[in-house]
Amino acid sequence: MKYLPAPSSPHLPALTGPSRPRWDAMRDKGLSITGQDLASGTIIGALAGDVVMTSVRPQADGSVVVRFDSKNARDPALLDRISRSYDRRMGR
C-alpha cells in the first residue's frame, strides 16, 4: 500500500464521513498530518516523535469501525485523547 504525503491545505473536500472528524481529532490534539490514503481510509499523523495511524474498517452491517493506533506512542494517553476528540466531533 502506498501512502501519499498529506496535502499542504488542512481543508480537504475529499474527506467525508468518518474521515474528516478523524483528521480534525488528530489535529485537535496537536498532531501534524503526515500522510493519507483516501482509498483505504488511512490517515497518519505525528506529534513529538509519536506516530499515530487511524483507519476505518467497514462491517457487514454497513457500519464502520474506526481505530487509532500507535506502535511507539510515548504518551500513553494520546490515543485516548484523540479518540475522545473524535467522539465529540461525531456527537457522542
Side-chain angles (χ1 to χ4, degrees):
M1 176 179 307
K2 180 180 178 185
Y3 294 102
L4 302 174
S8 58
S9 170
H11 305 288
L12 295 176
L15 290 177
T16 59
S19 294
R20 187 72 216 199
R22 290 181 301 127
W23 174 285
D24 289 336
M26 292 172 78
R27 297 206 22 117
D28 285 348
K29 299 308 168 191
L31 281 83
S32 297
I33 305 303
T34 59
Q36 65 180 350
D37 179 351
L38 294 178
S40 71
T42 300
I43 301 170
I44 302 168
L47 174 67
D50 290 342
V51 175
V52 175
M53 181 171 26
T54 178
S55 59
V56 175
R57 305 241 178 203
Q59 302 298 297
D61 65 1
S63 65
V64 296
V65 173
V66 173
R67 294 188 52 130
F68 294 95
D69 295 302
S70 179
K71 292 182 181 175
N72 68 339
R74 287 171 264 169
D75 178 353
L78 178 61
L79 295 177
D80 184 56
R81 289 194 309 272
I82 296 168
S83 180
R84 283 186 279 132
S85 180
Y86 171 78
D87 286 344
R88 279 191 302 276
R89 288 184 167 279
M90 294 299 290
R92 297 180 194 151

